[in-house]
Amino acid sequence: MAPIPLQRDTVQRPGTTRAGGAHGPRLASRTSLPGIPLAPSAARRFVRAALAEWTGLGVPAAVGFSDRLADDAVTVTNELVTNAVVHAGTTVDLVLRLEDEGGDEPSAALVLEVTDHHPARPVSGDEPEPGPEPDAAVAGELPDPAEYGRGLQLVATLADSWGITYRTGLKTVWARLPVDDWSAPPTPPDGEALRRGLRAAEILAPAARRTERDDAVWDSRGAPAFLAEASDLLAGQLDEDLVAAIAGQLLVPRLADWCAIWLETEGGGPAAEPRLARVWHSDETGSEPLRTALERAPLSLPAGAGSGPVAVPWPAHPGHPAGQPGEAEGTAPPHPGGRDGAALAFRITAGGRALGTVLVGREGVTQVPETVASLIEDFVRRLGLAVGAARAYTRQATISRILQRGLLPSKVADIPGVTSSLVYEPSDDGVVGGDFYDIFPCPGDRWCFVLGDVQGSGPEAAVVTGLARPWLRLLSREGFGVGEVLDRLNRLLLDDAMEAAEAAALMVAAAGGQQLHDGTQSRFLSLLYGEVVPLPDGGVRCTVASAGHPLPLLLRPDGSVRPAAEPQVLLGVVEDVAYESQVFDLAPGDTLLCVTDGVTERRSGPLMFDDGDGLARVLAGCAGLPAEATAEKIRRAVHEFAEQPPDDDVALLVLHAD
């Protein structure tokens, strides 16, 4: 596939006066890229070309660009553009600015902005919203668009600051990288142009800066420090592709000139081919040829190979045998860079299972030093643990999603004369949430709605949800009133909890009296249950009851808000309780809001979202809005209440009388 042609617009504006009267120009380069997989590589080329152009202009800060700053700028750009391509799929606008920071001490910063044009993005004003967002993309390679990526963790590590700005139809992710060599003494005038030209060439051809490597740093302190850093970066990563991406950046260029990582297909059987998850080269122009060569001739290790290094042939460029010198003039060299070298392969294992293979190469040498090979072997062991942990999480999350789909209705019913809008966002912890919902018709021209929250999460919560929802449907369709339905559901939960306690006691007795901790707990359930009956003159009559649940709020067209039910005890706690219901009319223009405690107890430090009737205040501002707009405004307010994403399930139901 041909590379994307780049059109770069560079603007130079006079800068503000810094201390001492010196002036620093503001530089900006911008381009637009199509939302296709080639966009990240085009963005990397754009950034290197822009930095080289600025260096050629003789701007002091640009001449002082360090190798690390150039590499970090390219890496951050790769992450942000990849994220936009995977999760928006629209045209991507890329802006690179060099800004004079001003102040008493001269300083400057590179600012990168990547904007997508996804029409469904929420609008939250023009202020940046710092912190990671759910749909950040996996670093480097494009992940499965169905999965959430986490590449913005790398951006947060490299950038001095970063954030997100929402505008109508636009989302911009920005990152600021300080120029760390601004105050470097100027080059004498005679050599200034030469220095600028050489620096620009280095930025455009980064491989030239990595030809020298000092293996003496891997002494008694260097190797443990590297492994500790690797362990910190790999630990807790929940996506195996991100693990592979981080591993590639740790190995290259510190320990190798290039590397490739294969991952075994989980559950694919012995005949399944490993997939080439990551290719990383110190010269970014060599990544694609290397990937092509490795895909045409996949690596295969002997069956008895352990975790130690295995020498393998040097990869061949397509159409040329490996390690064969003397190509005809005008033909491609055996490998990007034009040099052969030494290649070692390492098996990725965890818990005695083979998870993949790491291949590393060093150009221009006959063998990899034993110290370095041993260090890579230790690193691959840590990589195996990280891949194994990520796969365990993925399995758990997959099971959870399948179970969640089975516990929730595939479709909710439409209520005549009422427009409904539902928001359900399970917390991203990889386990089944405790919130559930339902809207269903019943005999007698009735429609029932449910919003519930089981104590805890995971399998125990799933059991209660799996029992409560069908019980509610059965009791409602049998003609019981709202209060009676809760009475009977309460007794059913208590009976079920008693059976669970008796089963646990039998297990303890069978184990010789030793206490067993099997996770059995009381099955408490907060529930908001209501019944809706259409009225002949418009609107509907509602009958609701709340059992330990946040109270529903009734919004009138004049903006007044009041609770629509009375608080009552949780289900599954007290046996002798009679639940009562409240009856009111939902007139045309009225709105009923039902939420779970993931909304009311959303925290920002010591504060909660519903402190001081915070939810009622937000709802009052929704007067006159339809159901969908009301639900979206409240959802957005919940998310904006704190910088961190919600750590509990968020569920809300809006009923608006037409």
Side-chain angles (χ1 to χ4, degrees):
M1 188 177 297
I4 299 174
L6 291 176
Q7 179 177 354
R8 184 173 69 256
D9 298 325
T10 300
V11 180
Q12 183 174 0
R13 299 183 178 89
T16 56
T17 301
R18 298 196 311 270
H23 294 266
R26 287 189 59 179
L27 293 171
S29 292
R30 64 188 70 242
T31 190
S32 292
L33 303 168
I36 61 176
L38 288 177
S41 62
R44 296 194 298 269
R45 290 188 286 114
F46 165 81
V47 169
R48 290 205 181 277
L51 296 182
E53 179 181 348
W54 295 352
T55 300
L57 292 174
V59 179
V63 175
F65 285 159
S66 66
D67 292 349
R68 177 175 178 178
L69 178 64
D71 290 342
D72 287 354
V74 170
T75 300
V76 169
T77 301
N78 185 81
E79 306 306 323
L80 300 184
V81 174
T82 300
N83 181 64
V85 170
V86 172
H87 298 286
T90 67
T91 299
V92 178
D93 298 328
L94 172 59
V95 178
L96 180 65
R97 298 199 310 273
L98 178 60
E99 295 189 345
D100 180 352
E101 300 286 273
D104 295 334
E105 295 293 331
S107 61
L110 276 178
V111 179
L112 295 128
E113 295 181 355
V114 174
T115 301
D116 67 58
H117 300 256
H118 198 292
R121 295 296 182 193
V123 180
S124 60
D126 293 337
E127 292 299 317
E129 183 181 58
E133 68 163 351
D135 68 349
V138 172
E141 299 298 319
L142 301 187
D144 183 350
E147 298 296 327
Y148 289 148
R150 298 174 177 83
L152 286 182
Q153 296 178 20
L154 295 179
V155 175
T157 300
L158 296 175
D160 177 65
S161 61
W162 70 281
I164 305 166
T165 300
Y166 291 102
R167 296 180 180 87
T168 303
L170 300 174
K171 185 189 75 172
T172 299
V173 186
W174 57 267
R176 176 188 178 278
L177 305 174
V179 177
D180 50 9
D181 199 18
W182 170 271
S183 58
T187 303
D190 291 343
E192 186 173 353
L194 177 60
R195 179 190 173 190
R196 292 202 303 265
L198 292 175
R199 190 71 190 97
E202 289 176 355
I203 292 172
L204 285 170
R209 305 195 303 270
R210 301 189 178 109
T211 55
E212 295 183 3
R213 183 182 292 108
D214 184 8
D215 290 328
V217 300
W218 309 120
D219 54 13
S220 58
R221 293 196 306 174
F226 168 76
L227 293 173
E229 177 190 0
S231 298
D232 289 342
L233 289 173
L234 294 174
Q237 303 298 338
L238 303 179
D239 185 284
E240 64 180 61
D241 288 306
L242 178 57
V243 170
I246 294 174
Q249 296 184 58
L250 286 169
L251 288 171
V252 178
R254 297 192 214 189
L255 298 172
D257 291 307
W258 55 264
C259 77
I261 299 175
W262 287 264
L263 293 176
E264 300 286 345
T265 303
E266 190 170 21
E273 290 288 338
R275 64 183 180 90
L276 187 54
R278 187 68 180 175
V279 173
W280 196 266
H281 202 292
S282 58
D283 177 0
E284 65 181 50
T285 62
S287 295
E288 287 306 315
L290 177 59
R291 174 180 286 276
T292 301
L294 295 174
E295 286 176 342
R296 292 197 177 190
L299 179 66
S300 178
L301 292 182
S307 59
V310 177
V312 298
W314 188 259
H317 187 279
H320 297 276
Q324 182 175 342
E327 315 293 4
E329 184 176 355
T331 61
H335 186 70
R339 294 189 297 172
D340 292 346
L344 292 178
F346 301 81
R347 183 89 72 186
I348 305 173
T349 61
R353 296 178 59 237
L355 301 179
T357 307
V358 173
L359 176 64
V360 298
R362 280 199 172 193
E363 297 177 354
V365 298
T366 57
Q367 64 179 14
V368 177
E370 184 177 348
T371 303
V372 175
S374 178
L375 179 57
I376 297 176
E377 182 180 351
D378 288 340
F379 171 80
V380 172
R381 290 195 185 98
R382 288 159 173 78
L383 173 60
L385 294 175
V387 172
R391 289 194 167 186
Y393 170 83
T394 300
R395 285 193 297 271
Q396 179 182 357
T398 301
I399 293 171
S400 177
R401 286 194 295 269
I402 294 173
L403 184 57
Q404 193 85 63
R405 285 197 296 267
L407 295 174
L408 297 175
S410 58
K411 183 181 179 181
V412 296
D414 293 326
I415 304 174
V418 174
T419 302
S420 64
S421 183
L422 178 72
V423 172
Y424 177 69
E425 297 178 346
S427 61
D428 189 20
D429 56 4
V431 297
V432 178
D435 290 7
F436 66 96
Y437 58 86
D438 204 355
I439 302 177
F440 54 92
C442 289
D445 199 26
R446 299 177 298 128
W447 280 261
C448 296
F449 62 91
V450 178
L451 200 59
D453 186 3
V454 180
Q455 176 195 10
S457 60
E460 186 72 18
V463 169
V464 180
T465 302
L467 295 173
R469 196 169 69 85
W471 280 342
L472 279 167
R473 285 198 170 208
L474 177 62
L475 292 170
S476 301
R477 288 168 175 169
E478 286 296 317
F480 293 106
V482 171
E484 293 177 300
V485 168
L486 296 190
D487 289 342
R488 283 163 171 75
L489 181 59
N490 183 55
R491 287 198 292 271
L492 287 167
L493 287 171
L494 288 168
D495 291 344
D496 191 69
M498 182 61 68
E499 292 176 2
E502 292 174 352
L506 292 175
M507 293 174 64
V508 170
Q514 296 180 355
Q515 186 175 3
L516 298 179
H517 300 278
D518 64 346
T520 301
Q521 60 182 14
S522 300
R523 299 182 177 183
F524 303 153
L525 171 64
S526 77
L527 189 73
L528 179 65
Y529 172 68
E531 182 180 279
V532 175
V533 177
L535 296 175
D537 297 330
V540 294
R541 178 152 295 168
C542 295
T543 306
V544 299
S546 175
H549 202 82
L551 299 181
L553 298 178
L554 177 61
L555 170 66
R556 298 296 189 187
D558 61 0
S560 61
V561 178
R562 69 170 180 86
E566 298 293 331
Q568 300 179 85
V569 69
L570 285 165
L571 296 169
V573 178
V574 181
E575 185 171 2
D576 296 327
V577 61
Y579 288 93
E580 298 181 354
S581 59
Q582 287 74 44
V583 181
F584 59 93
D585 288 346
L586 202 63
D590 289 347
T591 298
L592 184 68
L593 171 65
C594 312
V595 302
T596 61
D597 61 10
V599 173
T600 56
E601 298 179 7
R602 165 82 156 125
R603 287 192 172 274
S604 176
L607 302 178
M608 289 195 297
F609 182 75
D610 199 33
D611 287 348
D613 295 326
L615 179 60
R617 288 199 306 272
V618 176
L619 180 61
C622 299
L625 296 179
E628 185 174 355
T630 299
E632 174 58 23
K633 186 171 182 177
I634 295 172
R635 185 202 69 81
R636 193 166 65 246
V638 171
H639 278 270
E640 293 174 351
F641 184 69
E643 292 183 358
Q644 299 300 321
D647 58 2
D648 192 8
D649 299 348
V650 172
L652 60 94
L653 172 65
V654 176
L655 301 178
H656 179 78
D658 299 332

